[in-house]
Amino acid sequence: MAIRLARWPSRTTPTLGRHLALAVGAAILLLLLSSQIGAYDDYNLAEVAIFVIAVAGLNVLTGVNGQLSLGHGALMAIGAAARLRGPYLAGATLALAVGLPQIATRYSHVFGGEEGLTVTPPGPPDWLGADFPPERWMAWIAIAAALVTIVLLANLLQSSVGRSFKAVRDHEAAAALAGIDVARTQVHAFVVSSACAGLAGSLFAYWSGLTAPAGFGVALSLQLLSAIVIGGLGSLSGAVWGSIILVIIPALTGGLASSLSLASSVANNLPLAIYGSVLVLAMLLVPNGIDGGLRRLLVLARTRWTGAPSTHKGVVDWDDPSGG
Amino acid sequence: MLEITNLTVAYGPIVALDNVSFSVADGSITAVLGANGAGKTTLVRTISGLVRSRAGSVRLDGRDISRLAPEAIARLGIGHVPEGRGVLAELTVEENLRLGGLSRADRADRQAALSEAYELFMPLAQRRHLPAATLSGGERQMLSIARALAARPRVLLLDEPSLGLAGRVLTQIMARIKQLVEDRKLSVLLIEQNARSALSVADDAVVLSLGRIVAHDRAQRLASEEGLRHAYLGF
Amino acid sequence: MQRFIVLTLNGLTEGSIYAAMALALVMIWRATQVVNFAQGAMAMFTTYLALFSLERGAPYWMAFLVALLCGLLLGGVIERVLVRPVESAPPLNIVILTLGVLLVLEAVAPMIFGGQIRSFPAAFSIVGIKLGSLQVPFSAFDLFTLASVVFLMVLLLLLFQKTDLGLRMRASAFNAEVSRLLGIRVGRMLTLGWALASLVGALSGLLIAPTLLLYPTYMDQVLVFGFTGAILGGLDSPPGAVVGGLAMGFSLSYVGGYFGSDLETVGALVILVAVLMVRPRGLFTLRAQRVV
Ligand SMILES: Nc1ncnc2c1ncn2[C@@H]1O[C@H](COP(=O)(O)OP(=O)(O)OP(=O)(O)O)[C@@H](O)[C@H]1O
Ligand SMILES: [Mg+2]
């Protein structure tokens, strides 16, 4: 089941320099932003940045390389991943994601049991002043890590490795005929994505001050997955959009639920209900994710402004006129 | 009568049919000829509703069917033997045939459809309870045609029925179809790569090139037109 | 030995429930190539509806029937309203959609029915049957569970193999385009496929509720075990789903009984990975491996 929806922007001058310049610009903007907002918002900003790392990594695996995983880290260790595809991979990783927390709980002397291990986050260095908020420091670390990750991934994807990822996703047999080692490429995508997951995981532990098995279960995998689809499958900017959504919706709905005077059974579950509805509606209304939707708007706007006739309706649906 | 008027079909920027008009009278066979990529398959898929036209209409006895769903069009009596066979490989031979006969009203008539098919296609009778996946290429083509006939269509769209069939079997099938054309006023749209044999059974013929009709005449007359034969029909 | 028998009988009963869930997933996969992650939550919801009816004074079997019929309806509506519009979207989109449905159902259920853990009555005694003076570790309710799953499966088998409707449904699942050319209303068949699958799922929810107790996420593990069973069986094979579900029941029961219940899921996982290492497409897969 090749997932061939997403398109990477086909930039004509894909240079490391360009990516670096963009990253530095973003870094300056974000530093300024984080200094202007309060501690709580810095805390959320750090969360977004951490999610960006994990989501971008997963997007390389799922969006760019076409493998659907619901919690893949340990499966790679078993070495089975490259042989499974489609729903089989999804099933194996789902069972894994459910099973792993149990192992961690069982061997609690190693992993700290259900309570997990407490992690002490590093404080801001002295030269920033004694009253520098630790949340802002955390946000800076996370942003820096996210930007480095994005730059590295962007370059990777425009290299021959990235092209072979896409080739394998779009047409495995053709890629194999073209001399690409399919299994190896899939393992590479797993490695890249797991490295991102590992980085994000350790930052997450600092951010939350805790690492507990339950925190890394199916729910998190599913959240990450929904972020890449809502943001835009296979695109790095989509990973950013998806992460923002991932953090903003619970923050907004949590506030909404507590501000309305509702019965507790309703208030407690409202955020989840809204999150679920957003997933459903997003799939019905913007199937290409926020990134795809924005791109479509851009195309529309461009044809509107320049008056150029649009040759086709949009990004994907013209190659199938057989609409039932 | 099947009337096609100003039909235009495009796949994104690729225009596959460009302002095509012709009609097929009741009880007649029209051959559709043309090179690979000329738009022949697109034409029958549009008639069946599998592909939506950009402009123009398809009428069956005066009724515009071009906006109907494929299943509704099939229910009006338009049978389609798709290019590349289209048997349901997971189902048995008999189940495939039964699917064809489902539109017939009473049970006895459905049974008759089965026996008719087995009579015409002996190899199918022997394999009736095997999955269609086990059939050879030619046998699948037989099954696909038999299934379409079992529905007792008024219009039959045949997209390269000769594919994989031995000459003798094809002659038999065409004889049977000829008979239905005469007895039941069946209309047939016959797509063929082999222009010579198609023209020999057809009453009329349409020649497509790059989505346009470049010739439309009685089959016999087309077969004798030297220039056209060389330019488009390759014999 | 006695312990082994207890675990085997227990595995058989639970396995039949996982088999029902696996069958529901396989039916939907065959109809629309969708792994319906909301299947468990849908069964949870219909079981709550049964409890709701019971509390409003409905007789037990009436409540049972209400849940099954609501399952039928819910499945049909979800297919028609939510899945149909994204039919041609990439598979991942549909996965996310069913996850969204799962979250909504699990959030809405406590809003309507309350979030606390509830007990759900069993149709028959859950105490082991007495044969003479010997009490076997198999209750009347276990027997009912097994019998009702078998009964429903036989009905489905007859429907799919012996009726024209079943033939139409199978054809639609295998090849929608060819089926349309034969005049089959494929859309209706797929809706019906989802509806019937959800009825099977609803049955699994009703049958396991007395054991697991009723709360919004109680079907999550049944879904995972059912899904694992379905994958074991090859995902597009209904008999495979039944065998896979039963295999899950037995192995979970043995692992839980001999190694401790906290390793149950891990055991399931080990089995799954082991099988998939040998047969990456499950035990019973029908179609030849697609190279492309
Ligand atoms: N699904 C599709 N998407 C895009 N283009 C298509 C599609 N189907 C057909 N085409 C194009 O439309 C044109 C007509 O194709 P069509 O299949 O109708 O030709 P044909 O006459 O049946 O050819 P052949 O003799 O090879 O069967 C071709 O240029 C083909 O590439
Ligand atoms: Mg063709």
Side-chain angles (χ1 to χ4, degrees):
Chain A
M1 35 163 55
I3 299 171
R4 52 167 80 228
L5 180 71
R7 297 236 182 119
W8 287 80
S10 49
R11 297 200 185 94
T12 41
T13 52
T15 57
L16 179 61
R18 200 190 130 128
H19 289 154
L20 279 178
L22 276 174
V24 170
I28 294 172
L29 274 179
L30 286 169
L31 280 187
L32 288 176
L33 175 68
S34 77
S35 318
Q36 297 308 310
I37 55 183
Y40 180 68
D41 290 325
D42 266 329
Y43 183 74
N44 283 338
L45 190 61
E47 193 184 6
V48 172
I50 295 169
F51 271 131
V52 165
I53 300 172
V55 172
L58 188 63
N59 217 346
V60 167
L61 182 76
T62 305
V64 179
N65 194 230
Q67 306 186 62
L68 171 55
S69 165
L70 302 172
H72 55 266
L75 228 161
M76 188 192 62
I78 309 170
R83 299 193 56 201
L84 303 178
R85 51 203 60 182
Y88 295 92
L89 183 61
T93 50
L94 177 64
L96 199 85
V98 175
L100 270 192
Q102 276 193 8
I103 300 185
T105 311
R106 167 97 170 195
Y107 297 100
S108 50
H109 49 286
V110 185
F111 298 104
E114 270 176 30
E115 299 79 42
L117 302 167
T118 321
V119 182
T120 321
D126 296 338
W127 52 266
L128 281 171
D131 53 356
F132 190 83
E135 291 84 0
R136 188 170 302 162
W137 178 240
M138 186 70 228
W140 284 13
I141 296 176
I143 288 168
L147 286 172
V148 170
T149 308
I150 294 273
V151 168
L152 290 178
L153 286 181
N155 274 283
L156 178 80
L157 291 173
Q158 286 180 346
S159 70
S160 63
V161 178
R163 283 198 299 276
S164 59
F165 283 180
K166 282 171 249 174
V168 167
R169 169 196 67 190
D170 289 341
H171 206 296
E172 247 175 57
L177 283 177
I180 296 175
D181 184 339
V182 170
R184 208 177 144 139
T185 306
Q186 287 177 331
V187 171
H188 281 167
F190 255 106
V191 172
V192 170
S193 138
S194 305
C196 293
L199 176 60
S202 50
L203 285 171
F204 193 74
Y206 280 130
W207 174 81
S208 63
L210 185 77
T211 173
F216 295 92
V218 196
L220 183 62
S221 300
L222 296 183
Q223 275 193 321
L224 298 180
L225 204 59
S226 61
I228 65 175
V229 177
I230 286 192
L233 205 57
S235 105
L236 290 179
S237 48
V240 177
W241 289 121
S243 306
I244 293 177
I245 293 284
L246 219 52
V247 175
I248 276 188
I249 289 187
L252 285 184
T253 51
L256 176 74
S258 53
S259 70
L260 301 172
S261 52
L262 297 168
S264 72
S265 68
V266 175
N268 292 342
N269 291 292
L270 196 58
L272 194 62
I274 293 178
Y275 184 62
S277 316
V278 167
L279 290 188
V280 172
L281 288 177
M283 290 307 98
L284 292 175
L285 302 179
V286 275
N288 300 332
I290 298 178
D291 196 53
L294 286 179
R295 235 167 255 194
R296 209 175 172 129
L297 278 181
L298 215 68
V299 170
L300 276 182
R302 201 171 289 159
T303 48
R304 179 66 59 84
W305 284 110
T306 59
S310 84
T311 44
H312 47 73
K313 284 181 288 177
V315 193
V316 278
D317 53 349
W318 58 266
D319 55 24
D320 180 29
S322 56
Chain B
M1 183 149 95
L2 185 70
E3 288 168 285
I4 289 144
T5 319
N6 301 336
L7 198 65
T8 298
V9 177
Y11 300 99
I14 303 166
V15 177
L17 283 183
D18 189 0
N19 208 19
V20 166
S21 304
F22 67 96
S23 56
V24 185
D26 288 349
S28 79
I29 302 180
T30 299
V32 179
L33 308 171
N36 293 132
K40 307 180 295 293
T41 298
T42 303
L43 174 65
V44 285
R45 286 175 65 84
T46 310
I47 296 171
S48 291
L50 293 173
V51 172
R52 291 273 162 243
S53 59
R54 188 161 280 188
S57 70
V58 178
R59 289 173 187 281
L60 181 66
D61 297 336
R63 173 177 177 194
D64 189 351
I65 59 168
S66 55
R67 295 291 145 205
L68 295 183
E71 50 266 45
I73 292 174
R75 279 158 183 268
L76 290 176
I78 296 190
H80 183 157
V81 176
E83 187 175 27
R85 297 161 191 146
V87 302
L88 292 155
E90 293 88 348
L91 303 183
T92 65
V93 169
E94 180 137 323
E95 284 170 339
N96 268 281
L97 288 172
R98 267 173 60 204
L99 282 171
L102 282 179
S103 56
R104 299 194 176 190
D106 65 294
R107 289 203 165 269
D109 199 20
R110 290 184 191 180
Q111 202 53 48
L114 289 184
S115 5
E116 234 169 85
Y118 291 137
E119 205 174 303
L120 189 59
F121 301 99
M122 296 299 276
L124 297 184
Q126 290 154 11
R127 293 170 176 75
R128 60 204 301 171
H129 296 304
L130 293 177
T134 64
L135 296 184
S136 76
E139 287 163 350
R140 289 186 193 204
Q141 192 66 287
M142 293 179 204
L143 179 56
S144 188
I145 295 170
R147 194 180 59 192
L149 290 179
R152 197 175 284 151
R154 296 168 51 203
V155 175
L156 187 58
L157 312 173
L158 295 169
D159 197 344
E160 304 199 17
S162 64
L163 205 73
L165 283 184
R168 208 164 49 81
V169 179
L170 187 65
T171 315
Q172 263 174 14
I173 295 176
M174 287 321 295
R176 171 74 183 141
I177 287 175
K178 267 273 189 205
Q179 191 191 341
L180 292 175
V181 167
E182 275 150 29
D183 299 352
R184 296 232 196 91
K185 295 286 164 237
L186 174 71
S187 313
V188 178
L189 208 56
L190 172 66
I191 296 178
E192 264 307 336
Q193 288 298 338
N194 186 338
R196 196 199 299 263
S197 75
L199 288 176
S200 72
V201 291
D203 302 297
D204 298 286
V206 172
V207 181
L208 285 176
S209 174
L210 299 175
R212 290 169 190 263
I213 293 189
V214 290
H216 178 199
D217 209 334
R218 303 296 294 174
Q220 275 175 345
R221 204 152 343 138
L222 277 183
S224 62
E225 251 181 65
E226 193 87 9
L228 194 77
R229 263 174 38 197
H230 283 301
Y232 295 109
L233 306 179
F235 73 93
Chain C
M1 191 59 203
Q2 163 133 37
R3 187 171 176 75
F4 179 76
I5 295 172
V6 171
L7 293 176
T8 306
L9 289 173
N10 179 44
L12 182 66
T13 312
E14 288 201 355
S16 67
I17 294 172
Y18 302 145
M21 178 54 76
L23 185 63
L25 291 168
V26 164
M27 285 170 71
I28 284 181
W29 171 263
R30 293 221 314 178
T32 48
Q33 263 75 64
V34 173
V35 175
N36 181 17
F37 285 103
Q39 197 75 63
M42 289 159 69
M44 171 275 295
F45 204 83
T46 51
T47 308
Y48 264 111
L49 286 173
L51 187 66
F52 185 80
S53 316
L54 281 176
E55 283 169 351
R56 298 288 169 297
Y60 187 87
W61 295 112
M62 171 90 94
F64 209 82
L65 204 64
V66 163
L68 293 182
L69 292 180
C70 287
L72 199 75
L73 202 67
L74 191 61
V77 169
I78 287 180
E79 194 280 333
R80 189 67 195 81
V81 178
L82 300 179
V83 177
R84 186 77 58 84
V86 298
E87 207 172 29
S88 54
L92 195 55
N93 282 42
I94 310 181
V95 167
I96 301 295
L97 183 101
T98 63
L99 288 174
V101 174
L102 168 117
L103 294 180
V104 170
L105 287 174
E106 286 188 354
V108 168
M111 289 185 189
I112 303 175
F113 307 109
Q116 67 276 41
I117 297 180
R118 313 281 291 276
S119 67
F120 188 83
F124 297 96
S125 159
I126 52 169
V127 181
I129 299 169
K130 274 213 163 74
L131 289 176
S133 63
L134 190 72
Q135 182 162 10
V136 287
F138 195 71
S139 68
F141 184 65
D142 290 337
L143 190 64
F144 169 71
T145 299
L146 203 58
S148 58
V149 171
V150 170
F151 177 69
L152 191 57
M153 284 177 181
V154 169
L155 276 189
L156 286 173
L157 190 72
L158 290 177
L159 169 72
F160 281 113
Q161 296 298 331
K162 298 287 174 210
T163 70
D164 287 344
L165 180 65
L167 182 60
R168 285 193 180 99
M169 291 180 69
R170 280 188 294 149
S172 305
F174 287 134
N175 191 331
E177 183 173 298
V178 168
S179 301
R180 290 206 163 91
L181 289 180
L182 293 169
I184 298 171
R185 297 192 178 100
V186 171
R188 285 189 199 176
M189 295 303 124
L190 300 187
T191 306
L192 189 59
W194 268 72
L196 284 176
S198 305
L199 182 145
V200 180
L203 179 69
S204 73
L206 286 168
L207 292 176
I208 201 132
T211 317
L212 289 182
L213 302 177
L214 195 51
Y215 51 95
T217 55
Y218 87 102
M219 285 300 284
D220 283 5
Q221 55 166 310
V222 180
L223 176 82
V224 171
F225 296 153
F227 185 34
T228 313
I231 295 270
L232 280 178
L235 202 53
D236 59 7
S237 155
V242 174
V243 173
L246 286 173
M248 284 304 295
F250 287 125
S251 36
L252 287 172
S253 178
Y254 295 139
V255 172
Y258 290 121
F259 302 101
S261 61
D262 50 348
L263 281 187
E264 260 187 24
T265 330
V266 181
L269 168 73
V270 171
I271 298 163
L272 179 72
V273 171
V275 171
L276 289 181
M277 296 286 265
V278 184
R279 293 193 50 120
R281 283 173 170 259
L283 294 169
F284 284 73
T285 193
L286 280 178
R287 287 169 223 201
Q289 281 223 22
R290 260 190 312 192
V291 185
V292 180

